Amino acid sequence: MIDLRVIADASWPSAIADEWARRLERDPALRMCLPTGSTPVPVYEDMSERGGFADTTIFLLDEFGLPSGDPGRCDAMLERDLLSRLPERPAQVEMLDPQAKDLQAECRRFDQAIADGGLGLSLLGFGRNGHLGMNEPGSDVDSPTRVVNLAQETIEGLRRYGADTTTTWGMTIGLGPLLASSEIWLLVSGERKATILDRALNGPVSPSVPASLLRTCDRVTVWADESAASHLR
Ligand code: PGA
């Protein structure tokens, strides 16, 4: 069941941050999956003034197969947009390492770390092709954390993130562990996501639009600003 909340564009970040801050007050040791990219930036900005992360564990949703230090990497974005601004750093931050010698073992390590306690709250953005993390269209509903080939528009997105180089692959928490989160919040803003939001919420439930698979889960909240909700049937 999806709880759809449509919020005026200007108050979208603070509405999410208000609820998130309340959630952290109730559960200070929350285990969370967090995304990067442009969508969460204003929410992170608002949250960084509030703090509340000192006892949390954070799993970074995905990572590009880029050299360490590239500003387009998800670890660099999380550091820049959230972690470096917090008054106190989270107790634990887990990230996938695309430089690991054995990438399969790295993915298994991550799934094990998630399984040891589960994910209490997963924040997700989504792409204009409906991907969740780097689970591109066609991903299995029970896919594990793994190395993936990126869709062309995901590769093009790297430029928006200020990457120095490019890549055709990444690593992502799989749909299996993600959809097993106790609670999921999908963050959607801007008119450029309006068509895919309508397909995700009102089109067929299908791996061809991974975000539509959220409709098979309990406790999903979609936080859409009015621009993103403007094409909803
Ligand atoms: P964006 O990307 O937040 O930068 O739009 C989200 C995504 O592609 O998953």
Side-chain angles (χ1 to χ4, degrees):
M1 244 302 269
I2 290 202
D3 175 11
L4 171 64
R5 304 199 194 172
V6 178
I7 296 155
D9 291 11
S11 41
W12 179 83
S14 60
I16 298 169
D18 284 347
E19 181 82 13
W20 196 0
R22 278 196 291 274
R23 192 75 183 70
L24 287 173
E25 238 174 72
R26 281 206 312 277
D27 191 356
L30 195 56
R31 290 164 57 87
M32 295 181 281
C33 162
L34 296 185
T36 53
S38 55
T39 305
V41 171
V43 179
Y44 290 167
E45 199 177 320
D46 193 314
M47 279 312 278
S48 58
E49 283 158 21
R50 309 180 194 224
F53 289 78
D55 297 328
T56 62
T57 296
I58 290 175
F59 292 87
L60 180 57
L61 173 61
D62 48 13
E63 188 55 271
F64 290 105
L66 290 173
S68 129
D70 192 298
R73 267 177 55 143
C74 301
D75 58 357
M77 289 192 269
L78 189 71
E79 183 65 29
R80 184 175 70 224
D81 298 334
L82 181 69
L83 299 179
S84 64
R85 299 168 161 205
L86 291 173
E88 286 173 301
R89 294 182 77 89
Q92 206 180 335
V93 180
E94 294 281 352
M95 298 176 175
L96 286 158
D97 177 8
Q99 255 84 51
K101 274 212 184 71
D102 183 342
L103 293 175
Q104 318 302 330
E106 173 65 356
C107 292
R108 283 195 301 274
R109 172 192 77 78
F110 217 68
D111 271 346
Q112 191 55 55
I114 290 173
D116 291 343
L119 291 170
L121 175 64
S122 289
L123 268 62
L124 303 173
F126 73 156
R128 289 167 71 193
N129 64 0
H131 72 199
L132 293 176
M134 292 175 188
N135 292 283
E136 301 286 11
S139 298
D140 285 338
V141 68
D142 55 359
S143 52
T145 297
R146 67 202 186 289
V147 176
V148 288
N149 291 318
L150 301 175
Q152 193 53 39
E153 59 182 289
T154 309
I155 296 170
E156 282 157 16
L158 270 167
R159 271 204 307 270
R160 277 196 294 126
Y161 302 149
D164 287 338
T165 46
T166 192
T167 183
T168 56
W169 65 277
M171 299 169 83
T172 186
I173 298 181
L175 290 177
L178 270 186
L179 300 183
S181 303
S182 307
E183 200 176 338
I184 298 174
W185 293 0
L186 183 70
L187 274 45
V188 200
S189 61
E191 205 189 341
R192 69 187 191 94
K193 299 283 174 71
T195 305
I196 190 65
L197 181 62
D198 181 56
R199 281 182 68 199
L201 297 185
N202 297 316
V205 173
S206 156
S208 62
V209 180
S212 70
L213 300 170
L214 293 170
R215 284 152 62 197
T216 65
C217 302
D218 297 331
R219 305 196 67 201
V220 175
T221 304
V222 173
W223 299 86
D225 71 3
E226 281 177 347
S227 297
S230 60
H231 295 195
L232 288 181
R233 282 169 260 177

